[in-house]
Amino acid sequence: MSSNKNILLGYSGHAFVVAEAAGKAGISIDYYADKNKAVKNPLKLNYIGFEGDEGFEGWGKGFGFVLGVGDNNISTSLGNLVESSKRAIIDSYYIRQLRFRIVLPLVPELLFLPM
C-alpha cells in the first residue's frame, strides 16, 4: 500500500468504480479533481480543484494521480497532462478486468501489482 496522498481525476460514475477498485488494491484516494466541485460527494473526498486550471493545487506537491475518466480520449489527454507535469505513469493495473492507469511520484519502494 502506498503512503502517498492520491488525487482521483474525474468524479462521476466511472471514477467511483475506479476508486473502489483502487481501494481494494490498497491504494487510498484522498482528493478528487474535476471541472466543478460536486454537489453530491458519495466518496466523501476533498475537492482540490480542476487539473486544467493554471493554479491547480495538485501539481508539484508529490501527489499520485488516479485517472477516473471513462472516455479513452479524455483519459489519454489527462495522462499526457500528468506526465507533462513531471509525473510518470508507472503501470496499468487490471483489477476485476477494469483497466485504469495510476500515476504516482516515482518511489523505489513501490510494489507493482501483476497484470
Side-chain angles (χ1 to χ4, degrees), residues 44-113:
K44 298 180 179 28
L45 299 176
N46 293 312
Y47 179 67
I48 196 164
F50 174 51
E51 70 281 350
D53 288 344
E54 189 173 317
F56 177 57
E57 293 181 47
W59 301 136
K61 296 188 179 173
F63 290 114
F65 296 87
V66 178
L67 303 182
V69 177
D71 181 285
N72 287 334
N73 292 327
I74 296 172
S75 184
T76 298
S77 294
L78 281 175
N80 292 337
L81 176 64
V82 172
E83 285 177 336
S84 72
S85 297
K86 308 272 191 269
R87 296 290 181 271
I89 295 177
I90 295 175
D91 212 336
S92 293
Y93 293 79
Y94 289 81
I95 300 173
R96 292 185 179 180
Q97 300 177 6
L98 172 69
R99 180 172 184 242
F100 63 99
R101 292 191 292 175
I102 296 180
V103 183
L104 299 169
L106 296 177
V107 178
E109 305 90 283
L110 286 179
L111 298 176
F112 299 102
L113 298 176

